[in-house]
Amino acid sequence: MSLRDATIDRERRDLVSHQVMDESRLIRFVAGPDGQVVPDLGRKLPGRGLWVEASRASVEAAVRKNGFARAAKTRLNAPADLADTVERLLAKRCLDQLGLARREGVLISGFEKSAANLRSGKAAWLIEAADGAADGRAKMLALARHQTAKVCGAFTADDLSLALGLENAIHAVLLAGGRADRWTIEVERLAGFRPLRPSHWEVSGGEGEPAGALPPGAS
């Protein structure tokens, strides 16, 4: 069963805000055998789940206010860098999904092929290296602006190259379908810990758009 299937119509209470939310918006934690708070991003570890909204602020608040121990009603140790650990694990899950997508033939890389799939309307996501050249990025964002593709720039060229098994991976598109749906859940959780569009992108803006403008549907 996929993470998406497992979260359909299931809600949990965020232990920080006490709001009830869909599981797709939350991170599950469990108590490890040594009393450490352990992130369970795949929701497979045994034990009672401790649920926190998928955002850096919420995880840091849970650590600072001893929220995990309060919710579990037992002594637990939540490390001060827990939010950093969650971000790192989420980023790995997102990159692993991209590697799977490439092997399945639903992730297309390279400027020309990515641009063609954007023009065709087949792309669910445009994935741009955070540190790619501004001129090429501006052209891709201009294409995405006229389509429904969302935009992700949360990873460097080195990150993408390693995940995809390519050299100098800068531009890619993830085609619409089940894999894109699963990626969306993972990357939208990651967005609570790092921006999907780096701040330096906003300085110059895309081709024909003001600085900071977002394509329709972009995150």
Side-chain angles (χ1 to χ4, degrees):
M1 179 182 291
S2 71
L3 183 59
R4 180 179 177 83
D5 293 335
T7 59
I8 291 176
D9 297 326
R10 293 183 62 175
E11 295 181 329
R12 302 287 184 177
R13 188 179 301 275
D14 169 24
L15 65 81
V16 175
S17 69
H18 305 297
Q19 294 182 351
V20 175
M21 304 179 186
D22 188 272
E23 281 190 13
S24 65
R25 296 175 54 197
L26 297 159
I27 303 294
R28 183 179 189 262
F29 297 86
V30 297
D34 56 355
Q36 288 281 113
V37 175
V38 178
D40 179 24
L41 276 67
R43 298 162 183 164
K44 296 179 179 179
L45 295 178
R48 177 189 173 190
L50 303 168
W51 301 83
V52 179
E53 184 178 11
S55 74
R56 175 173 292 277
S58 293
V59 173
E60 289 179 344
V63 173
R64 186 174 63 253
K65 297 178 180 179
N66 203 28
F68 294 104
R70 291 176 183 273
K73 298 180 180 179
T74 188
R75 178 176 292 183
L76 292 177
N77 179 38
D81 64 349
L82 185 60
D84 293 332
T85 299
V86 172
E87 178 182 348
R88 184 171 62 254
L89 293 173
L90 282 171
K92 183 180 185 303
R93 288 176 68 89
C94 289
L95 291 167
D96 288 348
Q97 288 279 339
L98 293 182
L100 289 171
R102 182 170 185 263
R103 290 193 287 275
E104 293 167 358
V106 295
L107 184 136
I108 310 301
S109 61
F111 183 89
E112 295 299 337
K113 290 181 179 180
S114 295
N117 278 277
L118 280 171
R119 293 189 188 99
S120 73
K122 296 178 181 179
W125 282 87
L126 166 64
I127 301 160
E128 286 285 302
D131 50 352
D135 55 348
R137 178 172 66 246
K139 293 175 182 177
M140 298 299 283
L141 292 179
L143 286 173
R145 190 178 67 243
H146 299 292
Q147 302 295 335
T148 59
K150 296 182 179 181
V151 177
C152 176
F155 307 105
T156 66
D158 285 347
D159 292 333
L160 294 174
S161 298
L162 182 61
L164 302 179
L166 299 171
E167 292 185 6
N168 199 32
I170 303 294
H171 315 283
V173 295
L174 183 57
L175 303 183
R179 180 61 63 185
D181 292 342
R182 291 188 287 276
W183 155 267
T184 298
I185 288 177
E186 299 290 5
V187 81
E188 287 183 349
R189 292 198 297 173
L190 179 63
F193 295 83
R194 70 169 67 167
L196 296 192
R197 292 173 63 106
S199 58
H200 70 268
W201 283 19
E202 311 304 330
V203 175
S204 59
E207 182 178 287
E209 64 183 350
L214 294 177
S219 298

